[in-house]
Amino acid sequence: MAAFEGARKSDVIGYAAKSPAGSDPQALKAAYLQLLHLVERLHRQLLDVIKDELERLGQTDINSVQALLLYNIGDAELTPGELRSRGHYLGSNVSYNLKQLIDKGYIRDQRSNVDRRSKRVSLTPSGLEIRDKLAALFNRQLGSVEQVGGVDFALIEATNKTLQRLERFWADQVRFRL
């Protein structure tokens, strides 16, 4: 940040320093707090949807967090650190769930030939089955999200753009200690 001394923080990270003209600060606050609440609640609801699907399929030996972790690994071979950075999982959460999934035969782990301290994980055939079950769930939902949920492509694109901006904003809050 030394290179940016004298500059406003909003200039450094590319954000507008103030709200658009005429906006109501109280309305903005209420909407922002509602957004925070919705983001948290939506993640929990996604986990509930996954849990319900696993139970419906008789897959009760793993939880929804573990199933989503398998889905996010997919066909890749990753280190636990890459999982943390890509999936934004907490370190202890990844370690615990990886150990559980390795013990249950859903993930294989291999030590690196170059650095014996490093491990790489990938899905076993059983792990790939769970990944495929979640992919089928998401594809099934995709078939009705517009008609039943009233969520069309344009709305999804706008929401994704907003959430990506918010993700960058929060990352910058941590990175630049704003």
Side-chain angles (χ1 to χ4, degrees):
M1 288 286 288
F4 298 108
E5 284 184 28
R8 294 185 323 228
K9 286 183 180 178
S10 61
D11 293 335
V12 172
I13 56 177
Y15 298 115
K18 53 187 170 183
S19 302
S23 69
D24 177 6
Q26 289 302 322
L28 178 61
K29 178 181 178 180
Y32 182 69
L33 293 177
Q34 181 182 18
L35 176 69
L36 297 178
H37 180 71
L38 280 170
V39 166
E40 180 185 7
R41 199 168 77 213
L42 284 171
H43 178 67
R44 284 195 310 267
Q45 285 182 330
L46 172 61
L47 293 176
D48 285 346
V49 166
I50 292 170
K51 178 181 180 269
D52 183 63
E53 180 73 0
L54 292 173
E55 288 175 354
R56 191 178 67 72
L57 296 170
Q59 190 77 49
T60 58
D61 61 332
I62 63 171
N63 63 40
S64 55
V65 171
Q66 292 167 343
L68 192 56
L69 185 60
L70 293 173
Y71 180 81
N72 287 328
I73 292 171
D75 292 325
E77 185 176 286
L78 305 166
T79 66
E82 289 169 328
L83 276 171
R84 282 188 291 276
S85 64
R86 290 182 186 184
H88 306 287
Y89 298 98
L90 297 175
S92 59
N93 193 2
V94 168
S95 298
Y96 171 79
N97 284 311
L98 283 178
K99 182 176 179 346
Q100 293 290 310
L101 291 166
I102 289 166
D103 290 348
K104 293 175 183 176
Y106 292 104
I107 289 182
R108 75 175 63 86
D109 66 333
Q110 291 182 294
R111 294 262 175 221
S112 169
N113 292 333
V114 178
D115 181 357
R116 300 301 293 165
R117 298 171 295 172
S118 177
K119 274 202 268 191
R120 298 194 71 73
V121 297
S122 60
L123 301 186
T124 64
S126 299
L128 290 168
E129 282 181 37
I130 299 295
R131 190 265 330 253
D132 292 345
K133 288 177 182 180
L134 285 188
L137 166 67
F138 297 150
N139 283 332
R140 197 170 65 244
Q141 290 175 339
L142 187 59
S144 64
V145 72
E146 188 170 5
Q147 295 80 14
V148 177
V151 180
D152 64 8
F153 178 77
L155 186 57
I156 289 173
E157 282 290 297
T159 302
N160 285 342
K161 188 177 213 176
T162 300
L163 291 174
Q164 287 166 346
R165 287 179 179 177
L166 193 57
E167 179 183 34
R168 189 182 81 211
F169 172 75
W170 285 339
D172 287 348
Q173 296 295 300
V174 174
R175 184 179 308 118
F176 298 115
R177 297 178 184 236
L178 302 175

